[in-house]
Each structure stands twice: as C-alpha cells, then as structure tokens.
Amino acid sequence: MSLLAHSAEDPADSRTYLLNNGTAHRYHRAVTESVTRISAKIAGTARPFTGITVDGLAPTVDGVDLDAPLHDAAAALDELEEVYLRDAVYFHHPRYLAHLNCPVVIPALVGEAVLSAVNSSLDTWDQSAGGTLIERRLIDWTARRIGLGGLADGIFTSGGSQSNLQAMLLARDEACRRELTRDGTSPKFSVRLEQGGPLSGARLTDVLPRLRILTSECSHFSIRKSATLLGMGAEAVITVPSDGNKRMRTDELAAELARCHRDGLIPMAVVATAGTTDFGSIDPLPEIADLCARHGAWMHVDAAYGCGLLVSRRRELLSGIERADSVTVDYHKSFFQPVSSSAILVRDRSTLRHVTYHADYLNPRRMAEKRIPNQVDKSIQTTRRFDALKLWLTLRIMGAPAVGELFDEVIDRAADAWKLLHDDPRFDVVVEPQLSTLVFRYVPGADRDPEIGDRVNLHARDALFASGDAIVAGTVVDGRHYLKFTLLNPETTLEDIATVLDLIAEHAGAFLAEQPQPALSAR
Ligand SMILES: *Cc1c(COP(=O)(O)O)cnc(C)c1O
C-alpha cells in the first residue's frame, strides 16, 4: 500500500480525509505527489492532443465504478492518467491555436493552491476577512486602470458571460428605474425606488417589452443569451452591422438609436466589444460613448478578450473605455490566469444595489448600515471562489508590465502571421488583426465550386484535430466556413504557425484529391 493510501475500512478513518491540523502532512504528501505528476506531464507533452474520439474515450470513463473507491490517491492518479490526463487538450502547447484559452502563469497557480486549501468564500466578510479586502483592492486597481473614476466598483465573476449578464441586469434596472420615475404615475412606487435595492416586479412588465440592447453583429452570444435570461427576449437585441474591419459602424448605430426613439422604444444599453471573439476587433469606443451620452443609453464595454491591453504597451487601443458605465474583463483570457477569473466593473457603485438582497442568516441590512463589506451585496452569486487571489499573486510576483509583455508578444506574432497568410496564395485571410486572432480559409483554386471550399476547410480542421498535431478553431464569415487561429501563447513561434499552415494545406490537398475533378463541375 502506497504512502498515499488510507485504510478507510473503519468509518472513523473517513475523518483522515479531512484537511485539518492533524492531517496537514497527508495533504502535503498527496498534493506534492499530484504536482510532481502534472509537472512531468506538462514537461513531456509532445502534442496538444492525442486525437482521441468520444467513442474511444467514453468506455474508459464509463468503466470506472464510482461506488468502489480506491482508498489510495496514487492509484486514483494512475487511473486519472487513463481517464483524463493522457487525452486532455493542453493549452500550454505552442500548437494549440484554437480558442481564447491561455497558458497560465505560475504565480496564479500558487494562488490556486492556496485559495482551495483555505477555501474562503467571498460572499461575506465573516467567511473571508482579508480575502474580501484583497478582492476589493483588485477591483479598485482594475477600475483605475480603466479610468472609471472615484465612484467605481465591481465584483469578480465566474466569467465573461456572467459579467455580461450582470451588466445587462444593471442596465435594465437603471433603464426601468428612470422610466418609472419619469412617468411617476405611482408616487408610492417612486418612494420605493428611491430607497434603493432591487426593483419590484410590479410595473416592470410595462417597460420590459420596450427595452432594446444595441450591439454589433460580431459581439459575443452571451449578450443575446442575457437578454433572454432577463426576460426581454432575444428580439430585444438590435444587431448593428460592422465595417470591413469588423468594428461596429457608428453611423448605423446612430440610425438605430434614432429609430428606437421614433418607435417609442428605450435603448437601454449599447454593448461595445473591445476585442471581438472571432476577429479581435475593437469597436470605436469614443464615438460609441458620444452616442450613448446623447441618447441616455448605458454603455457597456465587453473587454473579455481585450482587457490585457490595460497592462500592455498598446493601452491606447482601449481609449474611450473610461467612459463606460460597465466593463467586462476576463483575466482568464489575456491576463494568463487559470479558469475562472473574471470581473465586472461599474462606473457608479450605487447601480450595484440592483443585485442587493438581504438575508437574515447571511447579510442582514444592519451589517450594511455598519459598513461591513459583504461582497454578496454586489454579486449574482452567493458562495464564491477567492479567484482574486490568483491575480493578486500574479501582480505581487511578476507584476502587471510582465503580463502586458506576454500579451503584446502574441499580438506582435499575430501581425507577423497575418503577413505570412496574406502572402500565401493557398490562403485567404479576412482582416488584419488588432489583437491576436486570424480568420482565414484554404482556397481550393479559383475554378472550384465554393461549396468545396467549405467542405475542404471543415475537413482540414477535423483532420488536424484527429491527428492531435495542432488544434485550430473554425467560424463562419458571410455564410462561408473559415478557420481561426487564436494566439495567446508567446511560445508559439512563426515557424509553428507556418508548420500548421502546411499541415492544413496537406489535409486539404488530400481531401481535394478524392473529389471529382473541377472540370466535371457544372460552370
Ligand atoms: C470569451 C468571451 C466572452 C465570454 O466569456 P466566458 O469567460 O467564456 O464566459 C464574452 N465576450 C467576449 C468578447 C469573449 O471573447
């Protein structure tokens, strides 16, 4: 029996699994063993993926009897190699080029180890103490980097989708409050509104169907999802066209805002994206801020991807973000933090009252009166991880400029890769990147049917995934299938990128060789 084994036949022994003063040595041994293994694994990863299929892996996972425990951490880790580690997708590998997943910085992993062992929950001061203050410092630090002003506040969230949802909730309730107090038909109701706290549902139903969110065709789907979750329906989202560089067209935005007013609709929010998921394009923030100010619309900036610019030498790409009412940042994208680490920031902290609910057992009103900082008052979650600690240790150990350098490096690499693609007759590339994505497609030859172009690109992506040599993403542009590189790993070289392009061309060529000759297609 290994050092990591427990002999849990006796029920009294089940207590030896709990981490406490008597078992800290066991914890140390078990975690050290797992870190030793995962270090070796990371060091020895030859490819980002093995290419395993669902059908190939599912029997292994299904074969584990969850009612027959091993009582031995080493044995469970051996098993984990089979069910997970061997075939996992490794984001740290230089030829992982698919989604917005970053390699993670070691200081953040130190934070991850600490925060899960102490296991603070950040909903209330009496469950976290210093954790609350650390989170608040990081919110203040981020808000200052953005330039949101002295009344700013915010909260860590589980991700950009949740941040966007909360931003839309605040924007919705601010729009409703304004609309209901302006109408002022119910003085009793107005009094309630001024007392703060969440809005009563009483007359919201009158306002909700008139609310509109305006966002570009390239914005993240979580905006549409939020509209549905917030009871406004997907049709509450007005899609504003983008220009040739995939940035929101502000002339079109102005026209849509004017149309809202003509039709008696309320433009409750404009969502600008600072780094669209597909193209990394940054909407024209200053012009959007002007239009929001003119029309009284809440300005939300979704900087889930572009937030790394806050610490980079390209900070000016975010000019205008300081005029936002709310901002989404995903540290788990361009700050090289492990999942999850994200936040929503707001210009006016009083707007967070729309998610403030008091529970006698947790955060009674008298605590707020005594100024006890209960973060649950600002969050749509209750029990909440101390994710902020990872960013804290990142800033304390490596510092913000070092994080920015990593992001700048991948943006530089994307610019070089764009030239490579642009000069390569095998490929068509959509836009010159502002950040670190490249959307392109293999061109099967001018005389080929465009349908073949779609099939060959879909095939090349699948074949590459199945080979495990590299992982790339795909997307659709103007109804056609494209491939996408998302570069977030400074270790990815231009040679890696050239190699992956050759692999794509090889898979595409093999696919084309099996197709009927172009001469046979009706033209
Ligand atoms: C990734 C992304 C999101 C969603 O963030 P999650 O952390 O995945 O929930 C939202 N907006 C944009 C622009 C993104 O790129």
Side-chain angles (χ1 to χ4, degrees):
M1 191 162 273
S2 91
L3 271 178
L4 301 175
H6 287 249
S7 52
E9 253 67 286
D10 179 354
D13 276 349
S14 54
R15 285 161 56 178
T16 62
Y17 289 105
L18 292 172
L19 172 58
N20 56 41
N21 52 350
T23 60
H25 63 289
R26 285 180 170 277
Y27 161 73
H28 184 262
R29 243 182 0 239
V31 172
T32 305
E33 167 74 13
S34 70
V35 170
T36 302
R37 290 184 184 217
I38 194 65
S39 309
K41 189 80 204 168
I42 300 267
T45 312
R47 293 183 298 170
F49 184 45
T50 58
I52 190 103
T53 60
V54 180
D55 289 344
L57 189 55
T60 313
V61 178
D62 292 345
V64 172
D65 183 354
L66 291 175
D67 294 314
L70 299 164
H71 300 304
D72 183 338
L77 287 169
D78 288 342
E79 181 183 88
L80 198 65
E81 174 68 18
E82 305 298 311
V83 298
Y84 174 54
L85 292 174
R86 189 186 56 210
D87 299 299
V89 173
Y90 287 98
F91 300 154
H92 72 278
H93 195 281
R95 273 180 270 120
Y96 176 83
L97 306 171
H99 303 289
L100 275 165
N101 309 109
C102 52
V104 294
V105 292
I106 295 167
L109 293 174
V110 175
E112 191 76 73
V114 174
L115 74 93
S116 59
V118 182
N119 196 32
S120 296
S121 179
L122 284 239
D123 38 341
T124 55
W125 167 258
D126 74 356
Q127 296 174 80
S128 74
T132 293
L133 301 180
I134 285 175
E135 175 170 11
R136 290 164 72 104
R137 279 290 307 278
L138 290 166
I139 289 292
D140 290 346
W141 178 86
T142 307
R144 206 164 302 144
R145 287 266 169 173
I146 296 171
L148 287 179
L151 296 177
D153 200 353
I155 192 83
F156 272 67
T157 67
S158 64
S161 304
Q162 193 192 353
S163 297
N164 285 343
L165 173 63
Q166 182 165 349
M168 291 304 98
L169 188 156
L170 302 182
R172 179 194 69 177
D173 289 357
E174 280 296 294
C176 288
R177 179 189 60 83
R178 254 185 285 133
E179 197 60 20
L180 293 173
T181 43
R182 177 173 34 210
D183 286 356
T185 42
S186 161
K188 209 169 136 212
F189 196 78
S190 303
V191 170
R192 259 193 65 84
L193 291 169
E194 275 148 28
Q195 281 172 350
L199 286 174
S200 127
R203 290 180 55 240
L204 286 185
T205 42
D206 299 343
V207 182
L208 278 185
R210 290 158 55 213
L211 297 179
R212 292 295 179 272
I213 299 169
L214 299 98
T215 192
S216 97
E217 57 185 333
C218 298
S219 71
H220 194 261
F221 72 91
S222 57
I223 300 301
R224 267 151 267 267
K225 200 169 180 175
S226 300
T228 309
L229 289 168
L230 293 171
M232 299 183 299
E235 62 278 10
V237 179
I238 296 176
T239 301
V240 181
S242 302
D243 65 15
N245 288 314
K246 305 296 178 186
R247 305 166 80 218
M248 188 193 286
R249 280 184 54 178
T250 47
D251 56 337
E252 296 278 1
L253 175 62
E256 289 296 346
L257 285 165
R259 200 196 323 268
C260 281
H261 285 296
R262 260 201 321 277
D263 297 348
L265 302 171
I266 306 161
M268 116 195 173
V270 176
V271 177
T273 312
T276 59
T277 313
D278 273 348
F279 302 100
S281 47
I282 299 168
D283 288 335
L285 304 178
E287 292 87 339
I288 292 171
D290 288 343
L291 285 167
C292 285
R294 195 169 317 143
H295 292 269
W298 178 283
M299 177 182 178
H300 176 64
V301 177
D302 180 356
Y305 176 13
C307 59
L309 293 172
L310 291 170
V311 292
S312 96
R313 59 181 157 82
R314 295 177 168 88
R315 172 63 180 79
E316 81 288 349
L317 286 175
L318 290 179
S319 289
I321 196 173
E322 68 284 353
R323 295 172 66 189
D325 293 293
S326 57
V327 177
T328 288
V329 294
D330 255 358
Y331 307 107
H332 63 217
K333 285 178 178 165
S334 49
F335 273 72
F336 303 92
Q337 298 292 294
V339 176
S340 310
S341 184
S342 183
I344 171 170
L345 293 304
V346 295
R347 157 176 307 286
D348 175 1
R349 61 172 60 129
S350 76
T351 59
L352 290 169
R353 74 187 180 284
H354 295 302
V355 295
T356 308
Y357 289 75
H358 292 287
D360 293 335
Y361 82 92
L362 188 66
N363 60 334
R365 200 177 291 278
R366 70 184 147 73
M367 282 193 178
E369 282 153 12
K370 282 165 69 181
R371 297 192 168 278
I372 292 169
N374 287 330
Q375 295 290 81
V376 69
D377 296 352
K378 308 173 189 177
S379 176
I380 59 179
Q381 292 172 263
T382 306
T383 302
R384 198 162 49 82
R385 284 167 56 86
F386 183 21
D387 286 316
L389 182 61
K390 297 178 286 192
L391 181 60
W392 177 270
L393 286 178
T394 301
L395 297 184
R396 295 307 299 140
I397 296 170
M398 65 187 282
V403 174
E405 269 170 39
L406 295 176
F407 195 40
D408 275 322
E409 214 175 312
V410 295
I411 299 173
D412 289 340
R413 193 84 74 260
D416 291 341
W418 180 81
K419 288 189 202 113
L420 202 66
L421 273 162
H422 186 260
D423 296 342
D424 189 333
R426 297 174 298 176
F427 300 99
D428 236 354
V429 57
V430 181
V431 290
E432 196 170 349
Q434 278 185 292
L435 296 181
S436 63
T437 65
L438 293 154
V439 179
F440 62 96
R441 76 193 310 237
Y442 179 83
V443 196
D447 52 346
R448 291 277 190 166
D449 175 354
E451 284 296 321
I452 291 282
D454 280 347
R455 287 167 56 206
V456 75
N457 282 283
L458 287 170
H459 169 84
R461 181 187 177 196
D462 291 348
L464 200 57
F465 188 71
S467 74
D469 292 331
I471 305 184
V472 306
T475 192
V476 172
V477 183
D478 299 331
R480 291 279 159 221
H481 288 281
Y482 279 71
L483 301 172
K484 178 168 82 161
F485 289 160
T486 305
L487 306 183
L488 276 180
N489 190 347
E491 295 295 331
T492 301
T493 62
L494 204 56
E495 290 72 55
D496 285 314
I497 293 167
T499 304
V500 175
L501 289 175
D502 286 344
L503 289 170
I504 291 169
E506 269 172 43
H507 290 300
F511 177 83
L512 286 173
E514 308 212 320
Q515 303 303 307
Q517 287 308 298
L520 296 179
S521 70
R523 299 191 65 232

